[in-house]
Structures are given as structure tokens and as C-alpha cells.
Amino acid sequence: MAVRAVRGAVQLERDEAGHMSEQVGALLTAVLERNGLGTDDLISIWFTATPDLHSDFPAAAARKLGIVDVPLICAQELDIAGAMPRVVRLLAHVESDRTRADIAHVYLGAAAALRKDIAQ
């Protein structure tokens, strides 16, 4: 089993806690499903949010999904002029038999424009 890193992002339509929970939950679910992972495969998840998001911690969505024994951390993205607004990104460290090239990075909706080179 190897340690792999999985990237992902989603752009929120609005800064509301319920909407963030729903969208981040969908992102996490997609990351797990597309990579054939279960919660026991998770080592840690790092979340970032753009500075215009204030309603909740993205990690709260993971806890609502039952991910309660995995280290999670949230941080603020750099405030870069012209950057896509209302974006939550994640970097998950996982145990997987997949090769690095076979890891599916998940960029939902408009966030796919952030990394066209790796978005699936």
C-alpha cells in the first residue's frame, strides 16, 4: 500500500453553512468513490477556502459524513486578485494500491477550470 495525495475543489454558489456542507460533502464523496477509497484509507485532509468564505469550516462537512477519526485542518487560500471566488480546495493523503497516475483528482462544476490538466 502506498501513500498518495488526492486533490480536489468545488466552487460554491453562495457563502452559507448549509450550502458549504452540501458541496464539500459532495466533493469528498466523489473523491472517495472515484478512487475506490473508504474512510479507513484516509490519513489526513487539508482544506483551504478562499477569503470570501466565512460561514463555516469546510472540515465540518467531513465530520457530518462520519469522518471523525481522521486529522483535518482548514486554512485560508491566498487572496490573489482575479482568482476564482468562493472555492474550497482539498488535499487528501490516502493509502491506496493505485499508482500516482491512476489517482482521480476531482474538480466539481466551475472548479474544473482551475486544473484542466488533472481534473476528472
Side-chain angles (χ1 to χ4, degrees):
M1 210 46 90
V3 174
R4 299 289 180 217
V6 185
R7 302 253 338 245
V10 63
Q11 184 183 38
L12 306 184
E13 294 175 16
R14 57 194 174 280
D15 184 23
E16 294 175 3
H19 179 63
M20 180 182 290
S21 181
E22 176 185 296
Q23 293 300 304
V24 174
L27 176 61
L28 278 169
T29 299
V31 164
L32 293 173
E33 288 177 356
R34 293 183 193 178
N35 287 288
L37 299 168
T39 57
D40 286 343
D41 299 316
L42 295 171
I43 297 169
S44 65
I45 306 174
W46 182 283
F47 294 94
T48 64
T50 51
D52 52 0
L53 294 174
H54 308 278
S55 63
D56 204 357
F57 295 99
R63 299 293 184 221
K64 288 180 183 175
L65 289 176
I67 301 172
V68 295
D69 61 348
V70 175
L72 308 174
I73 193 165
C74 298
Q76 187 176 73
E77 273 294 326
L78 296 173
D79 191 8
I80 304 297
M84 185 179 286
R86 299 177 317 281
V87 175
V88 174
R89 292 172 174 86
L90 70 76
L91 176 63
H93 297 97
V94 303
E95 291 181 325
S96 176
D97 288 328
R98 291 183 182 213
T99 66
R100 186 178 298 160
D102 290 333
I103 293 294
H105 303 283
V106 180
Y107 289 76
L108 299 180
L114 295 170
R115 289 299 306 263
K116 292 178 183 176
D117 58 324
I118 63 171
Q120 307 229 345

